[in-house]
Structure formats: structure tokens, C-alpha cells
Amino acid sequence: MADTPSYPIPLDSREQPILENLQRIRDELTLLKQDRSTYVKSSDVMVLYDKVVEQVRLLNEIRVDKPKEDNRLDRVLEGCFQLLSLFFMTIGKNNEAPAAYALTSTIKKLLEHLLEVDLYSSKDLEHITHTLERLRGIVKKSQTDSSYSPKLVTLLSSRLDVCQDLLDQLLGRLGRLTHELPGLHEKLISILRSISLANTRTKFSSTEVEKLQGQLKEIDAQRVNGNFVSADGEIPAGNDEVKDLLNRCLTWSEIVLARKGAMPEEFAGTYQTLVDIRNTLDKLSLTQAWSLRETDLYDYQRQLERIDESRVDGNFVDAEGKFAELYVQRTLLYLVRRSYANIYFLMVSSEPVSEALLPVYNQLQTLRRCLIEVKNSGGVSSPRDLYPYSMKLNSIDNMRVDGKFMIGDDIPEGQGSVNELLAECFELNYELRVAVETDGDD
């Protein structure tokens, strides 16, 4: 995604103007991303999207006989599509083809890392499986929509196929486990990640790691003659894999307790960068509804990719080109993978509502939760108790013009979602009022 000298300039002189145009468009997208003085308008994004599509059309005409060409132009184009994809999420067009681009990039990275390390559980794959199915539906629908570039739709279909192939390989590996082993495998993965999390906290806690190590020793004590045995006394398929995982967990706990979070100086800078990214993304996961603009994720993606791509044969290296030791490798890779996972969940949690309407949408979400809580706790004792909810709902309802939430002359995306949520809140409020009035009559 980064425009670096390692990517050669176009050899065909006809591609140079296209590269320059795409660089200008990328700069415009970057400026729009950085502008916090106002919300992002659909019209601004669509103008830039059309510009990119036009450059793609010109590029396709030049590369009729060399479709697999890959140079700096392709790198800049990747950055444009990545930014546009995040902008589509920001303006609430989550269910349209361009929005799927950034998500497929993150899913691919995440799956490649899971395949590389071979430490994952069925829960990791279950969510991604559903997301890929949803994205396939979006892309299939876009194939009959002339407003989207056929090149983009074809590219997305190809990326989804790559992700599905990676997912199938991962699912095949889990299929090796039988009987009680899948549950045991999942627990070991959870303990391993908890140890890695404890290892990267600001203040290292030996007690926390020792407790986790104790859980591992309890699992180890369940083995019979070194093997995990099923209820009928047989050694189930997948026994060797789970034994290996347990040994890896025990070894890792010993290493972590010995190192106590101390990172060698030559890798301290990379470590701190990754910790900062992880911590920031963790905070965004807690405050997403109120603080996240999806385009912010672009900068974190670029930082992660630079660090990830700096590896040599899968290994982190110091300034002299020497491979990092096992402790450093595992610690840094854990942070990279944790950050990719955070970006993935922030993307899939993005609401199909323009950031212009998010303040209203978030208020309604809070109101809905409050009303449901009141209902579940037995309702109210008097209609007067519902006045604060009714007043807030009416104030939001009065913001609409002809049934639409307007921002100036603009009608932001997400009208259906906000109106549906408003109607649900009114319905909950009405049910609570009817219930208390009926009780009063009785």
C-alpha cells in the first residue's frame, strides 16, 4: 500500500500520466480524510471514486496484452481503492461493492498470519466465514449494477476467492481434531493468547502468567501416558497436534516468566510502535460508536504493513540483518496479529450510517438500551417516569424534514437505519406507557 522505491516506475511511458493522476487523487483523498472541520459528504467521495474508475479504464486499455503488470502505479492504485473503501464505510455505504475492498485486504492478512503460525480456534474462523458470505452477496449484487466498475467487481471476486482458499486450508487443519480435542484445543489457544497479552502489558505481572501456567499444568495432568485419551479409552485423532500445542504453551509461559516483558534495545522501537497501535485500536474498540472515523484505520494499516513487510523469510531482523530470537519474534508477531484482528472487528462493526447521522444514531442506540433495561426490570411505576424518554424521542423526531434527517440541503446515507431505530424506540416507549396505565386501571 505504501508508495516505496522498491516498486519500479512504469516502463510504458503511457502509464506515467495515469500514475501522476492517481497520485493527485490519493493526495485529495488524504486531505479529505484529515479534514475534521465537517463530516464527509457522499458527493465528495463519489467524485473521487469516478476519477479513479476513469484512470482504471485508461490503464486497462494500455494493458490489454499485459494484465499482470505490477509497478508503482499499481501500488498507488491500491492505496486509492483502500482509502475509497474506508470512505464508503464513513459515508454509510457499507453494503456497496467499494466498501468491501478494505475488508478483504484485512481478512487476507489475518488469514495468512493464522496459516503461518497455525495457532487459531474455530471461533476465529466462524466469524470470518459469515463475513465472507456477506461480502460475496454484496459483490454478486454489484455485478448487475452499472454504477460500479466491472474491473473493481472482478478484482473483489478474485480477492474473495483467495480469502476463501486460505479459510478452507485453515478449516481443514481444524478437521484433524476429534472427540473432546476441539474444546481442549480452543482452551489452549485462549490461554496462549492470554499469556501473550500479559507479556505485552505496560506492567508485567508474574502472578498473572503463573496462574495461566497453572491452568496449563492442570491440562497436562489429564494426559495418560503422555496422551490425551477419549472417554472410551482410545487415543483420538489430533492427539499429536494438541500435545504439541500444549508443549508450545508450556514453553512459552516459561520464556515469558524468564523475560518479564524485557525487549532487546535493537527491537524496542518496533515493539513500542506495535504496542501503541494495539492500545489505540483497543481503545477505539470500546469507544467506536462515538470516536471512530473509518478512514482513520488507513494509517494503522499502513504502519502494520510496513512492519510486516520488513520481515525477511518471515523473521524480524535488526539493523545488521540478524534474525531476532524466538521471544522477540513471537512477541512482535502477536502484536501484529492482534492489531490486524482489531482492525477487522472495527470494520465489521461499522454501522451503515453516515458519520453526519452517527450522533443521532448513537443517541437512539442508548435510548433503546435504556428502554429495554426498564422493560426487563419490570417497567415504570408512573407514566411520569417516561417523560425524559418521550421528550428526547420527540426532540429527535422533530429534527426530521419530510421524514428525513437533513444536514443543510444534504440527505446523508443511513436514513432507513436511523428511522427504523427511532420507530423501535417509540414502540418500546408506547408499550411501557400502556403497561403502566393498564396497571393503574386495575
Side-chain angles (χ1 to χ4, degrees), residues 15 18 48 55 64 81 83 102 108 139 153 160 166 175 187 192 207 210 231 244 264 304 375 397 406 408 414 436:
E15 290 189 11
I18 298 176
L48 293 170
Q55 297 306 307
V64 173
F81 273 138
L83 272 168
K108 180 174 177 288
V139 172
V153 175
L160 285 171
L166 292 169
K187 186 174 182 180
L192 182 65
T207 304
E210 285 168 356
D244 178 60
L304 285 173
K375 183 179 179 180
D397 190 30
M406 306 282 290
V436 72

Side-chain angles (χ1 to χ4, degrees), residues 305-355:
E305 289 193 357
R306 285 196 193 102
I307 293 172
D308 201 9
E309 292 173 359
S310 71
R311 294 193 288 157
V312 177
D313 296 329
N315 297 291
F316 288 98
V317 295
D318 62 16
E320 297 178 357
K322 295 178 182 177
F323 287 174
E325 59 182 301
L326 177 65
Y327 172 75
V328 174
Q329 296 283 1
R330 287 193 178 179
T331 301
L332 297 182
L333 282 175
Y334 163 76
L335 290 168
V336 169
R337 287 159 187 157
R338 173 69 181 265
S339 296
Y340 276 132
N342 276 341
I343 289 175
Y344 166 75
F345 280 108
L346 285 167
M347 285 183 181
V348 296
S349 301
S350 173
E351 299 287 355
V353 175
S354 166
E355 67 172 353

Side-chain angles (χ1 to χ4, degrees), residues 3 8 46 73 75 87 99 101 129 190-191 206 220 230 246 276 309 319 331 373 401 415-416:
D3 185 17
M46 296 312 296
L73 187 156
R75 196 67 166 173
F87 268 117
Y101 190 92
T129 299
S190 176
I191 294 172
S206 295
D220 190 25
S230 63
L246 175 58
D276 290 343
E309 292 173 359
T331 301
E373 184 64 31
V401 178
Q415 299 287 329

